[in-house]
Amino acid sequence: MPQRLVATPRLDRADAAQQREFKFSGHSINSRQMDMTRVDFAPEQDTTEVWRVVNNDGQPHNFHVHDVQFQVLTVSGAAPPPRLSGWKDTVYLHPDETYELIMRFTDYADADTPYMFHCHVLFHEDAGMMGQFVVVPPGGRPG
């Protein structure tokens, strides 16, 4: 094992153009279940966002985001443990805890092609605990 691992450049909360909240409860996110005809939101390409993810029920969830990797800023208001210090695409949500995630949308933008965010527990995902977003060019709107 090397004495020092590769440095991870940190995203800065001050650069966030948007903050969003996701409340996990039962088999829904923000009291909504998956609807293939609905786009839940549309981040602009080349922007940074902070997502506040709250696990409101007594069961664990795994939050997975397509298209981007993210960093964990806080876990219930405290600095994350070392195991959460790197780039992630999924984070385990302990029951009744809040996670702040920061991500930058730098890749492909297409107002008509959605990406998913969802619970990665298969039963929860199949029961509708998911949503979708599109990445749009600056000033763009979902298609």
Side-chain angles (χ1 to χ4, degrees):
M1 188 78 160
Q3 289 294 320
R4 189 162 79 164
L5 298 176
V6 175
T8 301
R10 306 303 300 172
L11 296 176
D12 187 348
R13 178 191 299 272
D15 294 334
Q18 178 78 33
Q19 181 166 323
R20 301 183 194 278
E21 186 162 272
F22 301 82
K23 293 182 180 179
F24 279 58
S25 185
H27 293 127
S28 65
I29 301 173
N30 293 339
S31 300
R32 300 173 102 177
Q33 291 193 307
M34 179 63 177
D35 178 349
M36 292 292 289
T37 65
R38 183 186 73 233
V39 172
D40 295 289
F41 55 90
E44 289 188 358
Q45 187 177 27
D46 294 323
T47 61
T48 300
E49 294 193 356
V50 172
W51 291 9
R52 186 172 182 266
V53 184
V54 182
N55 184 351
N56 280 334
D57 58 27
Q59 57 185 319
H61 298 289
N62 290 305
F63 185 56
H64 177 63
V65 182
H66 291 219
D67 179 49
V68 296
Q69 290 188 324
F70 56 81
Q71 297 171 351
V72 179
L73 290 173
T74 64
V75 177
S76 294
R83 71 182 179 277
L84 295 180
S85 64
W87 290 103
K88 306 290 180 191
D89 68 3
T90 305
V91 65
Y92 176 79
L93 306 176
H94 290 273
D96 304 312
E97 287 196 332
T98 300
Y99 297 74
E100 284 187 305
L101 313 176
I102 189 167
M103 61 205 73
R104 184 155 178 83
F105 296 89
T106 57
D107 291 331
Y108 186 69
D110 180 350
D112 297 317
T113 305
Y115 294 103
M116 308 290 293
F117 60 93
H118 58 92
C119 180
H120 227 292
V121 175
L122 187 57
F123 174 73
H124 299 168
E125 180 179 337
D126 288 349
M129 194 172 227
M130 53 177 37
Q132 54 188 1
F133 65 94
V134 293
V135 179
V136 297
R141 295 184 169 271

